[in-house]
Amino acid sequence: MIIRSLETALEAIHDGAVLAVPREQSGVAMAATRALIRRGVGRLHLVALPTSTLQADLLIGAGAVATLETSAVSLGELGPAPSFTAAIKAGTIVMKDATCPAIYAALQAAEKGIPFMPLRGLIGSDLLAHRPEWRVIDNPFGTNDPVVLLPAIKPDVALFHAPMADAQGNVWIGRQRDLSTLAHAAERTIVTVERLHDGNLLDDPVLAAGTLPGFYIEAVALAPRGAWPLPLPDHYPADTAHLAEYAKMAATAAGFDKYLMNHVYEQRAA
Amino acid sequence: MIIRSLETALEAIHDGAVLAVPREQSGVAMAATRALIRRGVGRLHLVALPTSTLQADLLIGAGAVATLETSAVSLGELGPAPSFTAAIKAGTIVMKDATCPAIYAALQAAEKGIPFMPLRGLIGSDLLAHRPEWRVIDNPFGTNDPVVLLPAIKPDVALFHAPMADAQGNVWIGRQRDLSTLAHAAERTIVTVERLHDGNLLDDPVLAAGTLPGFYIEAVALAPRGAWPLPLPDHYPADTAHLAEYAKMAATAAGFDKYLMNHVYEQRAA
Amino acid sequence: MSGPFRDEELLAAHVADLIGDVRHVAVGNASPIPATAALLARARGKGRPYVSLLGSRRHTFFTDGGVELFDCAGQGRIDVFFLSGGQIDGEANINLVSIGDHDKPTARFPGSFGSGYLYYVVPKVILFRTEHSRRTLVPKVDFISAPGASDPNVYRTGGPICLITNRCLFDFDRASRRFRLASLHPGHSLDEVIEHTGFDFDQPDAVPITKAPDAATLRLLREVVAPEVAEVYPQFAAHVFGFTRAA
Amino acid sequence: MSGPFRDEELLAAHVADLIGDVRHVAVGNASPIPATAALLARARGKGRPYVSLLGSRRHTFFTDGGVELFDCAGQGRIDVFFLSGGQIDGEANINLVSIGDHDKPTARFPGSFGSGYLYYVVPKVILFRTEHSRRTLVPKVDFISAPGASDPNVYRTGGPICLITNRCLFDFDRASRRFRLASLHPGHSLDEVIEHTGFDFDQPDAVPITKAPDAATLRLLREVVAPEVAEVYPQFAAHVFGFTRAA
């Protein structure tokens, strides 16, 4: 059965997994993220397509992340991401800095089964200088034209939140096609959804246009308001008051622990 | 005004243009194709993503094509494409044989603004042997691992048929995402549609998921049953009786001319 | 061919067996018997394997354009695919392009479709050519749309496993790059196969007969599969199964 | 700064002028003043340019995921973009990553976002850093997220055209790889700019004053643009325009 409990659905995310997650606008599985922290997941190689906000910061603060690969982590208008900033300065995580289209390109390379994808830009940047795994070749179709090649990123698991899924595991993602890239690139994909849709999403051509086929999906778990306190586009806005509270509490280690206690661990009883 | 008459919309397709068109399943602008033939368009470099049926055959038979770049042309269950086959045997068109994912990759390279895209396969084939513009490099991330690089194909114009568009030029393409690849890759895009949609397709998240933004569109022309006699998925099936008639008539030069007279030129009066 | 079934039914039933227990079978252009076989496998498997049937609205889950089939194969998510050839040679090279000089051919086929890629990356490619003759099964193809085997350093996660014709089934051995006769269809002989095959092939001491489809299989084919095949191959479904869709 | 307008209004109005008559302006993360400027340009242009505002549901036409912004830029379909930097140096190199040793930084910024690509391929990149100090405008950045200029053989169809701060506007000359003071904002002096700028820059004999926004511009900003900005930057809109969205 593809529809599972949240905890069962998350079993595929093992310690040390390469876990790929989307940007805030695409639908972040925050309820699942809290469940992972409660379970004590560790040593994640977190890939955020192409940026992250609260999700990365919370996982880092909880000690769940060994390596982070993304283009930026912040709390947007609420300022820097406190756990991320502290971890980088303390050297407790390995940071693989990228630029947005490089993360897209590397995941699209995995999606297409090609070993690498070229990308313009990057030449002369320290992003490139700090990435020995990125190669520069002379464009075979040009002359003295250096171009960067990015190796494919193949996540073990992709995890995200979407408006709805059906019993076949088809997931309606609408315009959030980053979620399709993630699912195609990853070995396994776990999705939380606001609600279950009666019938088959692929039967209606209008809904099908925004549907990620169940073929790619390992498990779906029901998680109403599962992106909270982050927004779910076209469904609910961010809970900015809560995010401001997080920004304030996470500024100190003690405050972060209290946040975990109040907003992550307390849910264990729920 | 983005909504134009069919003839005005097609003005951007000049003689000698690199014209990109989709496979039969994605929505072929047949009414527009007939209008182009009536106008006497010539010397086209036709790129079919990744295959074609009646559209390429009709254009070739009408003498409008100088170069054809695609993976296959046939009439499906109705057999070989007669004008295509005759033109190849007579040497009157330049044929650039490809394999389907190579056409996708080359157009996606243009879509992404990268000079080339790698593709697995092809090594040891005569497709590769006949394409000096395709390069083989040793994969920089492997050892003694040859991989083919395909240069980007940048069409001057993309032309296709879709179910509907709005006054802003937004086009509803549903699942037919090949049309999005074509529009992104091409300099200009011309679309014919079954009908106009009241309101803005991007306003409704469900419709927006299947919408190609008007930003990419040069002109939209209304052409009800504009894919006829080919099918428009989820709207109408192929007119197989007519296609069978075409297959029969196009088997001879005289028959093809008669077909043009009966089914292409006669519409001039309409 | 003898028996209370048609050639196409024998072939489809046998191909369904060859498909085996896999997750995803994809069927490309102009492949009515493989489509029938894949749908038969799915009917037997009660929903497994997934079948992606090019041109079908019902049997396709793709929502990311035509490239999704190829991306899917690149991800290792297509287990079985079918290819044919205007010519097929003894090394399993296939020719979907032309006969004679490439620049001045005497015959032209539609083109290579996805073969130049899928033949390399789909683990089980089943070659299919109903016309078994020295015209189609040749010593060496005039144009290689895709080669049957590759040098060891060439990235290749897939390739041909067998060739099925209207006379027999050949297995393909990737190491020796040779076909081996696996079974003769009922009513066909070894001599006949040798006479009509343009390439050398290996053969066992005793050649088995291709298993005829049982009654349950024939019933599934005619009652469940035929209407589904008719969606994409109406002429084939009418011809083989006498099935005509309601207008 | 003097006048019956706020600093942010002066800057937004001036940036709207810099945008000029183009087809498509894109605005990335954490860019409230550029967002305001782009929406002002659109309000003036009656629908031209297209504005793509990251995080907006109203001002975005993208339907192909986050990659569409970058693909669009690669197609040459983005005319203007905005970048900032924790540090910006005299060669227009920008640093969005960290201060100090990269492996043991004393300060960490969010990260490079799209700069490592867009800085190269968008024809008009407007650099934006309201805090004009020797902390932000440095002789040499500690980390180059993206360089201000590239060697002639490096593929580069875009780059910085200017840098706007809370004190002045610099133009950037790609050939000499140097900034040149273009105008001082009302109430600011050349000496002050020199004092607070960590890099050398060129200057004209007489430095003009940045043109103050006229009444029509201020009205557009406050009445038409403010509510639109509030969609993505509610705190900014409340702070600058006193605009609060209905709950």
Side-chain angles (χ1 to χ4, degrees), chain A residues 110-113 168 177 180 183-184 186-188 202 208-209 211-216, chain C residues 23-24 50 57 60-65 67-68 70-72 74-75 77-78 117 155:
Chain A
E111 177 179 47
K112 303 186 83 59
Q168 289 73 45
R177 300 201 67 89
S180 168
H184 292 174
E187 181 71 25
R188 293 187 165 79
L202 294 176
T211 297
L212 173 66
F215 174 74
Y216 298 98
Chain C
R23 179 144 184 260
H24 184 197
Y50 273 91
R57 274 184 286 173
T60 179
F61 57 79
F62 295 132
T63 57
D64 200 25
V67 77
E68 189 172 359
F70 306 102
D71 286 356
C72 211
Q75 295 155 26
R77 286 189 165 113
I78 297 180
Y117 178 69
Y155 181 90

Short mmCIF file of all heavy atoms in Angstrom, two decimals, chain A residues 110-113 168 177 180 183-184 186-188 202 208-209 211-216, chain C residues 23-24 50 57 60-65 67-68 70-72 74-75 77-78 117 155:
data_model
loop_
_atom_site.label_atom_id
_atom_site.label_comp_id
_atom_site.label_asym_id
_atom_site.label_seq_id
_atom_site.Cartn_x
_atom_site.Cartn_y
_atom_site.Cartn_z
N ALA A 110 21.03 13.68 -13.25
CA ALA A 110 20.57 12.39 -12.70
C ALA A 110 19.23 12.00 -13.32
O ALA A 110 19.01 10.83 -13.67
CB ALA A 110 20.44 12.48 -11.19
N GLU A 111 18.34 12.97 -13.48
CA GLU A 111 17.03 12.71 -14.09
C GLU A 111 17.20 12.12 -15.49
O GLU A 111 16.43 11.26 -15.91
CB GLU A 111 16.27 14.04 -14.18
CG GLU A 111 14.92 13.98 -14.87
CD GLU A 111 14.23 15.34 -14.87
OE1 GLU A 111 14.89 16.34 -15.22
OE2 GLU A 111 13.03 15.40 -14.53
N LYS A 112 18.19 12.58 -16.23
CA LYS A 112 18.38 12.15 -17.61
C LYS A 112 19.34 10.96 -17.72
O LYS A 112 19.55 10.45 -18.83
CB LYS A 112 18.91 13.32 -18.45
CG LYS A 112 18.01 14.54 -18.42
CD LYS A 112 18.46 15.63 -19.36
CE LYS A 112 17.97 15.35 -20.77
NZ LYS A 112 16.52 15.24 -20.89
N GLY A 113 19.94 10.54 -16.62
CA GLY A 113 20.89 9.44 -16.70
C GLY A 113 22.16 9.81 -17.46
O GLY A 113 22.78 8.96 -18.08
N GLN A 168 -3.38 5.66 -5.97
CA GLN A 168 -2.33 5.07 -6.81
C GLN A 168 -0.98 5.72 -6.56
O GLN A 168 0.01 5.35 -7.20
CB GLN A 168 -2.68 5.20 -8.30
CG GLN A 168 -3.83 4.32 -8.78
CD GLN A 168 -5.17 4.82 -8.28
OE1 GLN A 168 -5.46 6.01 -8.34
NE2 GLN A 168 -5.98 3.92 -7.76
N ARG A 177 7.20 22.25 -10.55
CA ARG A 177 7.86 21.18 -11.29
C ARG A 177 9.22 20.82 -10.73
O ARG A 177 9.79 19.79 -11.10
CB ARG A 177 7.90 21.52 -12.77
CG ARG A 177 6.49 21.70 -13.34
CD ARG A 177 6.40 21.54 -14.82
NE ARG A 177 6.66 20.19 -15.24
CZ ARG A 177 5.74 19.23 -15.35
NH1 ARG A 177 4.49 19.46 -15.06
NH2 ARG A 177 6.09 18.04 -15.76
N SER A 180 8.97 17.39 -9.55
CA SER A 180 9.12 16.36 -10.57
C SER A 180 10.61 16.07 -10.81
O SER A 180 11.03 14.91 -10.86
CB SER A 180 8.42 16.87 -11.84
OG SER A 180 8.73 16.09 -12.94
N ALA A 183 11.84 13.97 -7.89
CA ALA A 183 11.37 12.57 -7.91
C ALA A 183 12.04 11.77 -9.01
O ALA A 183 12.36 10.60 -8.84
CB ALA A 183 9.85 12.53 -8.07
N HIS A 184 12.26 12.40 -10.16
CA HIS A 184 12.92 11.70 -11.25
C HIS A 184 14.38 11.40 -10.91
O HIS A 184 14.92 10.36 -11.29
CB HIS A 184 12.87 12.54 -12.54
CG HIS A 184 11.49 12.71 -13.11
ND1 HIS A 184 11.23 13.51 -14.19
CD2 HIS A 184 10.30 12.17 -12.77
CE1 HIS A 184 9.93 13.46 -14.48
NE2 HIS A 184 9.36 12.66 -13.63
N ALA A 186 15.78 11.12 -7.85
CA ALA A 186 16.03 10.34 -6.63
C ALA A 186 15.71 8.87 -6.83
O ALA A 186 14.85 8.49 -7.63
CB ALA A 186 15.20 10.90 -5.48
N GLU A 187 16.38 8.04 -6.06
CA GLU A 187 16.10 6.60 -6.06
C GLU A 187 14.68 6.36 -5.53
O GLU A 187 13.92 5.60 -6.11
CB GLU A 187 17.15 5.93 -5.17
CG GLU A 187 17.05 4.43 -5.05
CD GLU A 187 17.45 3.72 -6.32
OE1 GLU A 187 18.22 4.30 -7.11
OE2 GLU A 187 16.97 2.58 -6.53
N ARG A 188 14.37 7.01 -4.42
CA ARG A 188 13.04 6.86 -3.82
C ARG A 188 12.46 8.23 -3.52
O ARG A 188 13.21 9.15 -3.20
CB ARG A 188 13.13 6.10 -2.49
CG ARG A 188 13.53 4.67 -2.62
CD ARG A 188 13.42 3.98 -1.26
NE ARG A 188 13.46 2.54 -1.43
CZ ARG A 188 14.59 1.86 -1.61
NH1 ARG A 188 15.74 2.48 -1.62
NH2 ARG A 188 14.56 0.54 -1.79
N LEU A 202 -4.73 11.02 -12.90
CA LEU A 202 -4.32 10.99 -14.31
C LEU A 202 -5.51 10.87 -15.25
O LEU A 202 -5.36 11.02 -16.47
CB LEU A 202 -3.34 9.84 -14.56
CG LEU A 202 -1.98 9.98 -13.86
CD1 LEU A 202 -1.11 8.74 -14.12
CD2 LEU A 202 -1.24 11.22 -14.36
N ALA A 208 -4.18 16.03 -14.72
CA ALA A 208 -3.00 15.25 -15.10
C ALA A 208 -1.83 16.15 -15.46
O ALA A 208 -0.66 15.81 -15.22
CB ALA A 208 -3.34 14.32 -16.28
N ALA A 209 -2.14 17.33 -16.01
CA ALA A 209 -1.07 18.24 -16.41
C ALA A 209 -0.20 18.65 -15.23
O ALA A 209 0.97 18.98 -15.40
CB ALA A 209 -1.66 19.48 -17.08
N THR A 211 0.29 16.60 -12.51
CA THR A 211 0.43 15.40 -11.68
C THR A 211 1.78 14.71 -11.89
O THR A 211 2.22 14.50 -13.02
CB THR A 211 -0.73 14.42 -11.98
OG1 THR A 211 -1.95 15.04 -11.60
CG2 THR A 211 -0.56 13.12 -11.22
N LEU A 212 2.39 14.36 -10.79
CA LEU A 212 3.60 13.53 -10.80
C LEU A 212 3.14 12.08 -10.64
O LEU A 212 2.47 11.74 -9.66
CB LEU A 212 4.49 13.95 -9.62
CG LEU A 212 5.73 13.12 -9.33
CD1 LEU A 212 6.74 13.21 -10.48
CD2 LEU A 212 6.38 13.59 -8.04
N PRO A 213 3.46 11.21 -11.60
CA PRO A 213 2.92 9.85 -11.57
C PRO A 213 3.37 9.04 -10.36
O PRO A 213 4.51 9.14 -9.92
CB PRO A 213 3.48 9.22 -12.86
CG PRO A 213 3.88 10.37 -13.71
CD PRO A 213 4.27 11.48 -12.78
N GLY A 214 2.45 8.23 -9.84
CA GLY A 214 2.73 7.35 -8.72
C GLY A 214 3.87 6.37 -8.99
O GLY A 214 4.48 5.84 -8.06
N PHE A 215 4.16 6.15 -10.24
CA PHE A 215 5.27 5.28 -10.64
C PHE A 215 6.56 5.65 -9.92
O PHE A 215 7.38 4.78 -9.61
CB PHE A 215 5.46 5.40 -12.15
CG PHE A 215 6.66 4.67 -12.69
CD1 PHE A 215 6.66 3.29 -12.81
CD2 PHE A 215 7.78 5.37 -13.09
CE1 PHE A 215 7.76 2.62 -13.31
CE2 PHE A 215 8.89 4.71 -13.60
CZ PHE A 215 8.87 3.33 -13.71
N TYR A 216 6.77 6.94 -9.67
CA TYR A 216 8.02 7.39 -9.06
C TYR A 216 7.96 7.43 -7.53
O TYR A 216 8.95 7.78 -6.90
CB TYR A 216 8.37 8.80 -9.56
CG TYR A 216 8.59 8.89 -11.05
CD1 TYR A 216 7.59 9.32 -11.89
CD2 TYR A 216 9.81 8.55 -11.61
CE1 TYR A 216 7.78 9.40 -13.26
CE2 TYR A 216 10.03 8.62 -12.97
CZ TYR A 216 9.00 9.05 -13.80
OH TYR A 216 9.21 9.13 -15.15
N ARG C 23 9.06 -4.39 -13.32
CA ARG C 23 8.26 -3.26 -12.85
C ARG C 23 7.65 -2.46 -13.99
O ARG C 23 6.56 -1.96 -13.89
CB ARG C 23 9.16 -2.36 -11.99
CG ARG C 23 8.44 -1.13 -11.47
CD ARG C 23 8.88 -0.72 -10.09
NE ARG C 23 8.07 0.41 -9.63
CZ ARG C 23 8.46 1.68 -9.66
NH1 ARG C 23 9.68 1.99 -10.06
NH2 ARG C 23 7.65 2.63 -9.25
N HIS C 24 8.38 -2.32 -15.11
CA HIS C 24 7.94 -1.37 -16.13
C HIS C 24 8.35 -1.82 -17.54
O HIS C 24 9.53 -1.98 -17.83
CB HIS C 24 8.57 0.00 -15.82
CG HIS C 24 8.13 1.11 -16.73
ND1 HIS C 24 8.79 2.29 -16.84
CD2 HIS C 24 7.07 1.20 -17.58
CE1 HIS C 24 8.19 3.07 -17.71
NE2 HIS C 24 7.14 2.44 -18.18
N TYR C 50 3.87 -1.91 -14.77
CA TYR C 50 3.42 -0.70 -15.44
C TYR C 50 3.68 -0.89 -16.93
O TYR C 50 4.74 -1.40 -17.32
CB TYR C 50 4.25 0.50 -15.00
CG TYR C 50 3.79 1.22 -13.76
CD1 TYR C 50 4.25 0.87 -12.51
CD2 TYR C 50 2.91 2.30 -13.87
CE1 TYR C 50 3.86 1.56 -11.36
CE2 TYR C 50 2.50 3.00 -12.73
CZ TYR C 50 2.97 2.61 -11.49
OH TYR C 50 2.58 3.30 -10.38
N ARG C 57 -3.69 6.81 -24.38
CA ARG C 57 -4.02 7.74 -23.32
C ARG C 57 -4.22 7.00 -22.01
O ARG C 57 -4.01 7.51 -20.94
CB ARG C 57 -5.31 8.52 -23.66
CG ARG C 57 -5.01 9.74 -24.52
CD ARG C 57 -6.27 10.54 -24.76
NE ARG C 57 -7.13 9.84 -25.72
CZ ARG C 57 -8.35 10.23 -26.03
NH1 ARG C 57 -8.86 11.29 -25.44
NH2 ARG C 57 -9.06 9.58 -26.92
N THR C 60 -0.43 5.03 -20.14
CA THR C 60 0.77 5.85 -20.05
C THR C 60 0.62 6.67 -18.79
O THR C 60 -0.47 7.11 -18.44
CB THR C 60 0.92 6.80 -21.25
OG1 THR C 60 2.11 7.57 -21.05
CG2 THR C 60 -0.25 7.76 -21.37
N PHE C 61 1.67 6.80 -18.05
CA PHE C 61 1.60 7.67 -16.87
C PHE C 61 2.42 8.92 -17.09
O PHE C 61 2.53 9.76 -16.21
CB PHE C 61 2.09 6.93 -15.62
CG PHE C 61 3.48 6.38 -15.72
CD1 PHE C 61 4.58 7.21 -15.56
CD2 PHE C 61 3.68 5.03 -15.98
CE1 PHE C 61 5.86 6.70 -15.66
CE2 PHE C 61 4.97 4.53 -16.07
CZ PHE C 61 6.06 5.36 -15.91
N PHE C 62 3.02 9.06 -18.27
CA PHE C 62 3.95 10.17 -18.48
C PHE C 62 3.22 11.51 -18.51
O PHE C 62 2.19 11.67 -19.16
CB PHE C 62 4.71 9.97 -19.80
CG PHE C 62 5.61 8.77 -19.79
CD1 PHE C 62 5.61 7.86 -20.83
CD2 PHE C 62 6.49 8.55 -18.73
CE1 PHE C 62 6.45 6.76 -20.84
CE2 PHE C 62 7.34 7.45 -18.72
CZ PHE C 62 7.31 6.54 -19.77
N THR C 63 3.76 12.46 -17.78
CA THR C 63 3.18 13.81 -17.75
C THR C 63 4.26 14.86 -17.98
O THR C 63 4.03 16.04 -17.75
CB THR C 63 2.50 14.09 -16.39
OG1 THR C 63 3.46 13.92 -15.34
CG2 THR C 63 1.32 13.17 -16.16
N ASP C 64 5.44 14.41 -18.43
CA ASP C 64 6.55 15.36 -18.58
C ASP C 64 7.03 15.42 -20.04
O ASP C 64 8.20 15.70 -20.31
CB ASP C 64 7.69 14.95 -17.64
CG ASP C 64 8.66 16.09 -17.38
OD1 ASP C 64 8.24 17.26 -17.49
OD2 ASP C 64 9.84 15.82 -17.06
N GLY C 65 6.11 15.13 -20.97
CA GLY C 65 6.49 15.20 -22.38
C GLY C 65 7.15 13.92 -22.85
O GLY C 65 7.39 12.99 -22.08
N VAL C 67 10.06 13.31 -23.66
CA VAL C 67 11.40 13.03 -23.15
C VAL C 67 11.34 12.14 -21.91
O VAL C 67 12.34 11.49 -21.57
CB VAL C 67 12.13 14.36 -22.84
CG1 VAL C 67 11.67 14.98 -21.53
CG2 VAL C 67 13.64 14.17 -22.84
N GLU C 68 10.19 12.08 -21.25
CA GLU C 68 10.12 11.33 -19.99
C GLU C 68 10.42 9.85 -20.20
O GLU C 68 11.04 9.21 -19.35
CB GLU C 68 8.74 11.52 -19.33
CG GLU C 68 8.69 10.95 -17.91
CD GLU C 68 7.40 11.28 -17.17
OE1 GLU C 68 6.53 11.97 -17.74
OE2 GLU C 68 7.25 10.84 -16.02
N PHE C 70 12.55 8.59 -22.23
CA PHE C 70 14.00 8.42 -22.35
C PHE C 70 14.71 8.74 -21.04
O PHE C 70 15.65 8.05 -20.64
CB PHE C 70 14.52 9.25 -23.52
CG PHE C 70 13.79 8.93 -24.78
CD1 PHE C 70 12.80 9.77 -25.28
CD2 PHE C 70 14.01 7.74 -25.44
CE1 PHE C 70 12.06 9.44 -26.40
CE2 PHE C 70 13.28 7.39 -26.57
CZ PHE C 70 12.31 8.25 -27.06
N ASP C 71 14.20 9.75 -20.34
CA ASP C 71 14.75 10.05 -19.01
C ASP C 71 14.55 8.85 -18.09
O ASP C 71 15.45 8.45 -17.35
CB ASP C 71 14.06 11.28 -18.41
CG ASP C 71 14.52 12.58 -19.06
OD1 ASP C 71 15.44 12.54 -19.92
OD2 ASP C 71 13.96 13.65 -18.73
N CYS C 72 13.36 8.30 -18.17
CA CYS C 72 12.99 7.15 -17.35
C CYS C 72 13.96 5.98 -17.61
O CYS C 72 14.45 5.33 -16.68
CB CYS C 72 11.57 6.75 -17.72
SG CYS C 72 10.59 6.05 -16.43
N GLY C 74 16.97 6.29 -18.77
CA GLY C 74 18.27 6.72 -18.26
C GLY C 74 18.38 6.55 -16.76
O GLY C 74 19.47 6.34 -16.22
N GLN C 75 17.24 6.63 -16.07
CA GLN C 75 17.21 6.42 -14.62
C GLN C 75 17.22 4.94 -14.25
O GLN C 75 17.22 4.60 -13.07
CB GLN C 75 15.92 7.05 -14.04
CG GLN C 75 15.83 8.56 -14.15
CD GLN C 75 14.39 9.05 -14.14
OE1 GLN C 75 13.50 8.40 -13.60
NE2 GLN C 75 14.15 10.19 -14.76
N ARG C 77 14.71 2.96 -15.02
CA ARG C 77 13.34 2.68 -14.62
C ARG C 77 12.51 2.06 -15.74
O ARG C 77 11.29 2.01 -15.65
CB ARG C 77 12.66 3.96 -14.11
CG ARG C 77 13.15 4.38 -12.73
CD ARG C 77 12.29 5.51 -12.18
NE ARG C 77 12.50 5.69 -10.75
CZ ARG C 77 13.07 6.77 -10.19
NH1 ARG C 77 13.47 7.76 -10.95
NH2 ARG C 77 13.24 6.84 -8.89
N ILE C 78 13.16 1.64 -16.83
CA ILE C 78 12.45 0.83 -17.83
C ILE C 78 13.16 -0.51 -17.91
O ILE C 78 14.37 -0.56 -18.14
CB ILE C 78 12.40 1.52 -19.20
CG1 ILE C 78 11.62 2.83 -19.10
CG2 ILE C 78 11.77 0.60 -20.25
CD1 ILE C 78 11.51 3.60 -20.40
N TYR C 117 19.42 5.06 -28.53
CA TYR C 117 19.63 5.27 -27.09
C TYR C 117 19.11 4.08 -26.28
O TYR C 117 19.84 3.49 -25.48
CB TYR C 117 18.90 6.55 -26.66
CG TYR C 117 19.01 6.84 -25.19
CD1 TYR C 117 20.23 7.22 -24.64
CD2 TYR C 117 17.92 6.72 -24.34
CE1 TYR C 117 20.35 7.47 -23.28
CE2 TYR C 117 18.03 6.98 -22.99
CZ TYR C 117 19.24 7.36 -22.46
OH TYR C 117 19.35 7.60 -21.12
N TYR C 155 29.61 2.64 -22.11
CA TYR C 155 28.53 2.61 -21.13
C TYR C 155 27.34 1.90 -21.73
O TYR C 155 26.75 2.34 -22.72
CB TYR C 155 28.15 4.04 -20.75
CG TYR C 155 27.05 4.14 -19.73
CD1 TYR C 155 27.36 4.17 -18.37
CD2 TYR C 155 25.72 4.19 -20.10
CE1 TYR C 155 26.36 4.26 -17.41
CE2 TYR C 155 24.71 4.28 -19.15
CZ TYR C 155 25.04 4.31 -17.81
OH TYR C 155 24.04 4.39 -16.88
#
